[in-house]
Amino acid sequence: MVTCPEGHLSTAVDYCDVCGAPVGEPPTPVAAPRCPACGAPSGGRFCEACGHDSALAPPPEPPPPALPVPDPVPHDPRPAAEPATVRTSPVTWIATVTADRAFYDRVLAREGPDADRVEFPAYYPPRRITLQGSEILIGKRSVSQGLHPDIDLGIAPADAGVSRAHALLHLTPTGLTVTDLGSTNGTSLNDSDDLIPAEQPVAVRSGDRVHVGAWTTITLTAEPA
């Protein structure tokens, strides 16, 4: 038994046996279909408001609104500036070998090694040698010892005070150094009587003079390539 909204008892569960009122919840209303073109209620194939045929494909959606176009950037007639670059002029290092009488006289004055048996040559034309590679050996050629110096001071007239492997020039993109390799008579620079320390590289500049042996001077110059 159920009670209808009017208070009657009813054996039926859908409509009251006494007054006929619906006993359960009212059915949910179904919305009438609408025309996809104009939105008006339409129960058939053809809309009574606009005549649209619902069997056709839905109308295309309108395109999105166009975005505003920004104003063009004014053209600068001047050419674009090139990035700053550091340019270095290539150079070639030249070693000029000479018989230096002033150096020879200083060796005699201080009674350096082999000074009593080394004579100054009567003729020794200057030799220009272009430095190649990064390691340039100064010394005297020795086939038995496998020594082939880049600056060979064993060519006659040879300086007896120069050792077989006397000194080493080290050339880098940023400069040049000289290292005495523990020679018998040592190595000095720029008319100085002080010998440079053995086995320690010493920086040299263009125009510096390297003194080896008893009378040999090697002038180093950097010239445009």
Side-chain angles (χ1 to χ4, degrees), residues 36-102:
C38 66
S42 175
R45 174 177 175 178
F46 296 96
C47 176
E48 297 179 358
C50 67
H52 174 71
D53 186 354
S54 60
L56 300 177
E61 296 183 0
L67 297 176
V69 179
D71 294 335
V73 178
H75 173 67
D76 190 346
R78 297 172 298 179
E82 296 183 358
T85 56
V86 178
R87 301 177 183 268
T88 57
S89 300
V91 298
T92 299
W93 282 90
I94 304 295
T96 303
V97 183
T98 59
D100 189 342
R101 182 72 197 203

Side-chain angles (χ1 to χ4, degrees), residues 110-204:
R110 69 171 183 259
E111 297 181 354
D114 301 323
D116 56 343
R117 65 183 184 88
V118 177
E119 295 183 356
F120 190 79
Y123 177 70
Y124 190 92
R127 295 165 51 202
R128 281 173 55 90
I129 301 172
T130 301
L131 303 188
Q132 303 286 346
S134 59
E135 303 288 340
I136 299 95
L137 178 64
I138 302 172
K140 292 179 179 178
R141 182 181 179 187
S142 173
V143 177
S144 61
Q145 297 180 18
L147 292 175
H148 302 277
D150 303 279
I151 301 178
D152 187 1
L153 301 180
I155 300 174
D159 187 340
V162 175
S163 299
R164 295 288 184 183
H166 195 105
L168 183 71
L169 296 175
H170 181 65
L171 182 62
T172 69
T174 58
L176 184 66
T177 62
V178 59
T179 303
D180 183 85
L181 300 178
S183 63
T184 301
N185 296 333
T187 303
S188 59
L189 298 175
N190 299 325
D191 301 331
S192 173
D193 289 332
D194 297 328
L195 303 179
I196 64 175
E199 307 296 342
Q200 295 184 22
V202 177
V204 293

